[in-house]
Amino acid sequence: MKKFLTWVHRAEDSLLVLLLLTMILLAGFDILARSLFGGGVSWIPPLLRVLVLWLGLLGALLATRTREHIAIDLINRLAGPNSKRLMATLTLSFAAVICGIIAWHSYAFLAVSREFGDIAFAQIPAWPLQAIIPFSFGLMGLRFIAQSLDTAFNGLKEHA
């Protein structure tokens, strides 16, 4: 299982790097085309918007994986070890529920988008580009569940 998770983490990291590199190259090309030829490529700006969505959600997955996501840390500063553990378990569980709700509803949105044949740009259907939303929130929810169970049964760990 550890090898599989290592492979998944490397694939996530590689995809993030590839997306960022693609965005930089496309944006640079579009800027050059506008400067040199008086106009850019019409499909690059909407594609860059989609890539920003993908990059942001994959970045959120990375932050969730490494427990570097946004968190309110007041209780950790004031509470004792048992209270910290309980509150961490509760907040991670709450985050898992919220991510599950978002994944569920974004999947429903995706189904409607597919049913109605929404087009993103250049005759490309919108639903494959939007699929990152339920996928990423579903995976974040699973990670929060795993972290919640780990915290409940093994206690809090310092994460570098």
Side-chain angles (χ1 to χ4, degrees):
M1 184 67 166
K2 193 166 189 154
K3 281 186 177 184
F4 175 72
L5 286 177
T6 300
W7 182 86
V8 169
H9 295 167
R10 284 188 181 158
E12 285 177 356
D13 295 344
S14 299
L15 185 57
L16 273 168
V17 169
L18 180 66
L19 282 174
L20 186 58
L21 182 61
T22 301
M23 288 176 63
I24 291 168
L25 291 174
L26 285 173
F29 178 79
D30 198 41
I31 291 168
L32 284 175
R34 288 177 194 213
S35 298
L36 299 176
F37 306 117
V41 181
S42 64
W43 53 266
I44 289 180
L47 177 59
L48 286 173
R49 287 191 292 273
V50 169
L51 292 177
V52 166
L53 172 69
W54 278 64
L55 190 67
L57 289 173
L58 289 173
L61 274 174
L62 174 66
T64 304
R65 178 179 85 203
T66 58
R67 292 190 183 199
E68 294 174 355
H69 49 79
I70 296 172
I72 298 172
D73 205 26
L74 180 63
I75 293 173
N76 284 338
R77 295 178 188 267
L78 301 176
N82 289 333
S83 296
K84 284 182 186 180
R85 184 177 184 174
L86 175 64
M87 291 309 297
T89 302
L90 289 174
T91 56
L92 289 166
S93 299
F94 180 74
V97 168
I98 296 301
C99 286
I101 290 169
I102 293 171
W104 178 268
H105 287 286
S106 61
Y107 180 78
F109 171 77
L110 191 74
V112 169
S113 178
R114 185 174 182 189
E115 179 181 339
F116 285 102
D118 291 346
I119 301 296
F121 60 91
Q123 299 303 318
I124 296 175
W127 70 269
L129 304 176
Q130 298 163 343
I132 191 66
I133 303 170
F135 173 78
S136 62
F137 277 101
L139 191 53
M140 278 189 275
L142 290 174
R143 284 185 173 162
F144 280 129
I145 289 170
Q147 291 172 4
S148 175
L149 293 172
D150 184 47
T151 300
F153 293 113
N154 300 321
L156 290 170
K157 296 179 186 119
E158 292 299 319
H159 296 277

